[in-house]
Amino acid sequence: MSKPSLDEMIEQLPKELSPQHDLWPAIARRLDTAPVHHRGHSSWKQFAVACSLLLLGGFGYRLWFSEPQAVSDPQMLAMMAQLRQQHEQQVNFIEKNSHFNQWQHASLTAPLSRGVDELRTASDQIYQALQKDPKDQQLWQLWIWAQQREIELLTQGQQLPEKMYAEKKGTRI
C-alpha cells in the first residue's frame, strides 16, 4: 500500500466549503444596532490623549536634539591621559628599538606606513571624543582597538626589513 501523492490528496478535497449555519443574520443584526456613544466622556478622553501626545513629543524632541552633557570626571580624564601616555611610550620604544626608519622608506611597506598614520589620526579623533564623553564604552573599546592595531602594524614593520635584506643578500644559513 503506497501513500497517496499530493496531487491525489488535493483532488479528493471538496471543491467548495460552506459554513455549518448561516452567519449573515447575526452580522446584519450587529450592523443595524449602532453603538451608543457618550458625548460627554469622549471629549475629555480626546483632550487627555492629545495632551499626553504633546508631552511625549516634547520630551522626545528634547532627548533627540539635545547635545550630550559633557561629564567632566577628573579621574576618568586623568586615567585616559595616563593610558595615552603609556601608549605613546610603547610606540616610541618600538620605533627606537626597531628598523622603523629603514622600513618606512621601503616601497613595499608604504601601505603599512599609511595604515599606521591612519590609525594614529583615528586614535586622536577617538581620544577627543572620549574627552567629551568619557563614559562611552564603545568609544573606549574603539580607542583601545586602534592603539592595539597601531602597535601590531609597527611590530610587523620591524620584521619587514630583515626579510627584504635577507632576500637581497641571499639565503641565510
Side-chain angles (χ1 to χ4, degrees):
M1 208 185 242
S2 67
K3 293 183 181 179
S5 69
L6 181 60
D7 292 330
E8 292 172 355
M9 291 171 47
I10 291 174
E11 287 177 17
Q12 291 175 359
L13 289 174
K15 301 295 180 202
E16 267 184 39
L17 289 177
S18 58
Q20 293 175 356
H21 63 290
D22 192 16
L23 299 175
W24 185 247
I27 295 172
R29 242 181 292 127
R30 284 189 174 174
L31 289 176
D32 289 340
T33 58
V36 178
H37 292 288
H38 300 286
R39 290 284 177 206
H41 295 296
S42 65
S43 63
W44 76 267
K45 286 182 182 178
Q46 291 174 349
F47 181 72
V49 168
C51 287
S52 63
L53 287 175
L54 186 64
L55 284 173
L56 184 64
F59 286 129
Y61 179 80
R62 285 196 69 190
L63 289 174
W64 187 264
F65 291 107
S66 68
E67 292 195 18
Q69 298 290 330
V71 181
S72 60
D73 186 0
Q75 291 177 338
M76 292 287 280
L77 295 175
M79 184 175 66
M80 284 173 37
Q82 184 180 12
L83 287 173
R84 185 176 190 183
Q85 183 181 16
Q86 288 176 356
H87 174 72
E88 288 174 0
Q89 288 173 351
Q90 288 175 336
V91 168
N92 289 337
F93 179 76
I94 291 171
E95 288 176 351
K96 284 180 186 176
N97 296 331
S98 69
H99 309 287
F100 182 74
N101 293 331
Q102 294 173 2
W103 70 264
Q104 201 170 22
H105 299 294
S107 63
L108 295 176
T109 59
L112 212 58
S113 298
R114 279 195 307 268
V116 169
D117 292 339
E118 289 175 7
L119 281 170
R120 285 181 181 162
T121 304
S123 182
D124 289 341
Q125 291 173 353
I126 297 166
Y127 181 76
Q128 291 171 1
L130 265 175
Q131 285 179 323
K132 294 177 184 173
D133 187 12
K135 295 191 178 190
D136 189 345
Q137 289 181 344
Q138 291 179 337
L139 279 177
W140 273 98
Q141 291 172 349
L142 185 60
W143 186 48
I144 290 170
W145 179 86
Q147 290 178 339
Q148 290 172 343
R149 296 298 89 68
E150 180 183 356
I151 290 174
E152 286 176 11
L153 280 180
L154 288 173
T155 53
Q156 286 175 5
Q158 284 180 340
Q159 299 166 0
L160 285 178
E162 294 175 2
K163 292 178 184 176
M164 289 174 17
Y165 186 69
E167 289 172 6
K168 290 180 183 178
K169 265 186 141 180
T171 55
R172 283 194 233 172
I173 300 178

